[in-house]
């Protein structure tokens, strides 16, 4: 007999699998049992053990290193009937779970972008201004909306190439992971709201990724011109 303990917020539940060991129990079976107990849609139900998310519904529980009487944490929100009827196409709780998953992932991405994107943009401007072989723009040139507050940072040394590379990698990897996550969200044909939510999330994320890559290309072009000028001297 195998007993598995689940903790979901303040609620706890123990599932007993008679005459079975962990190697005989699939993750999908446990997730289905958690769904039946909590009414959290499967699309928004996540199990975590030892700080790691348990993935692949076909994998046996034994591969996750679960110890006897170990506790698994369940994450997910039980939607209300109002939420389901208001936010979905036909009142399907699974569509609601997909919508919430997409929205939460997009918001997490946008929060990180809001913190790091302006810093990266200013760093790129500073790097190009200090390394460009061509004359820098006149101080009389009016600043655009992205250069507000740069006067205070003008006295700071320009970023190193490695700092720019690290900043670009952080943003591009975060945005790419989000795009892959959205791509992995499978929406049924009739989940029209979920599909539209996914399209908008991809569009917004791709827009930022294009901007980040464009700034990186500008830095690379600056390096190329500087190297070319040094070779001619």
């Amino acid at each position: 007999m195998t007993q598995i303990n689940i903790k979901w917020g303040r609620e706890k539940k123990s599932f007993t699998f008679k005459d079975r060991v962990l190697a005989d129990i699939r993750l999908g079976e446990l997730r289905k049992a958690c769904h039946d107990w909590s009414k959290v849609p499967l699309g928004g139900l996540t199990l975590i053990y030892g700080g790691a998310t348990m993935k692949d519904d076909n994998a046996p529980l034994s591969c996750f290193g679960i110890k006897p009487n170990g506790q698994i944490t369940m994450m997910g929100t039980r939607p209300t009937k109002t939420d389901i009827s208001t936010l979905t196409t036909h009142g399907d709780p699974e569509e609601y779970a997909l919508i919430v998953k997409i929205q939460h992932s997009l918001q997490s991405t946008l929060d990180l972008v809001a913190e790091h994107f302006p810093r990266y943009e200013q760093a790129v401007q500073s790097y190009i201004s200090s390394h460009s072989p061509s004359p820098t723009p006149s101080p009389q040139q009016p600043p655009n909306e992205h250069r507000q507050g740069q006067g205070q940072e003008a006295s700071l040394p320009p970023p190193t190439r490695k700092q720019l590379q690290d900043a670009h990698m952080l943003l591009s990897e975060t945005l790419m992971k989000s795009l892959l996550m959205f791509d992995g969200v499978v929406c049924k044909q009739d989940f029209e709201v979920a599909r539209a939510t996914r399209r908008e999330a991809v569009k917004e994320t791709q827009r930022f990724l294009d901007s980040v890559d464009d700034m990186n290309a500008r830095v690379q072009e600056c390096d190329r011109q500087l190297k070319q000028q040094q070779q001619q001297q």
Side-chain angles (χ1 to χ4, degrees), residues 138-150:
S138 169
Q140 302 299 323
Q141 181 180 3
N144 60 29
E145 60 179 354
H146 298 299
R147 293 176 183 172
Q148 293 178 0
Q150 280 190 336

Side-chain angles (χ1 to χ4, degrees), residues 76-205:
T77 302
R78 179 194 296 132
T80 65
K81 291 183 179 180
T82 301
D83 291 335
I84 296 173
S85 61
T86 302
L87 299 176
T88 63
T89 309
H90 304 296
D92 192 319
E94 290 301 325
E95 182 183 17
Y96 173 83
L98 293 177
I99 293 171
V100 171
K101 181 178 181 179
I102 294 169
Q103 290 176 336
H104 284 181
S105 179
L106 177 61
Q107 189 57 55
S108 296
T109 300
L110 294 180
D111 287 344
L112 186 141
V113 169
E115 178 183 358
H116 293 280
F117 186 89
R119 298 178 186 175
Y120 179 59
E121 188 175 33
Q122 289 183 356
V124 168
Q125 293 283 1
S126 176
Y127 181 87
I128 292 177
S129 296
S130 61
H131 291 78
S132 176
S134 59
T136 58
S138 169
Q140 302 299 323
Q141 181 180 3
N144 60 29
E145 60 179 354
H146 298 299
R147 293 176 183 172
Q148 293 178 0
Q150 280 190 336
Q152 192 175 17
E153 298 184 8
S155 60
L156 297 177
T160 65
R161 193 65 178 86
K162 185 178 186 308
Q163 288 174 326
L164 284 181
Q165 288 175 335
D166 291 344
H168 173 258
M169 184 175 296
L170 171 66
L171 284 166
S172 62
E173 287 187 354
T174 298
L175 293 166
M176 281 300 302
K177 285 179 181 178
S178 293
L179 287 175
L180 289 173
M181 194 288 292
F182 297 143
D183 186 60
V185 175
V186 179
C187 300
K188 294 181 180 179
Q189 193 67 33
D190 61 341
F191 284 4
E192 297 176 6
V193 176
R195 292 167 68 88
T197 302
R198 184 181 61 183
R199 283 196 301 270
E200 287 303 312
V202 169
K203 182 179 178 180
E204 182 75 359
T205 304

Side-chain angles (χ1 to χ4, degrees), residues 31-62:
R31 289 196 343 109
K32 179 62 167 58
C34 290
H35 160 71
D36 293 340
W37 161 59
S38 67
K39 304 307 178 186
V40 172
L42 282 170
L45 192 155
T46 302
L47 297 179
I48 300 172
Y49 182 76
T53 300
M54 302 169 68
K55 301 179 180 180
D56 186 358
D57 279 349
N58 291 319
L61 296 183
S62 56

Side-chain angles (χ1 to χ4, degrees), residues 2-66:
T2 298
Q3 178 174 304
I4 299 175
N5 304 313
I6 303 292
K7 184 176 185 299
W8 177 43
R10 295 183 178 181
E11 300 184 44
K12 295 182 179 181
K13 176 71 174 180
S14 294
F15 294 100
T16 300
F17 297 85
K18 295 182 179 180
D19 302 323
R20 299 174 70 185
V21 295
L22 291 173
D24 299 328
I25 307 169
R26 303 290 176 180
L27 174 60
E29 185 178 352
L30 177 60
R31 289 196 343 109
K32 179 62 167 58
C34 290
H35 160 71
D36 293 340
W37 161 59
S38 67
K39 304 307 178 186
V40 172
L42 282 170
L45 192 155
T46 302
L47 297 179
I48 300 172
Y49 182 76
T53 300
M54 302 169 68
K55 301 179 180 180
D56 186 358
D57 279 349
N58 291 319
L61 296 183
S62 56
C63 74
F64 298 104
I66 300 174

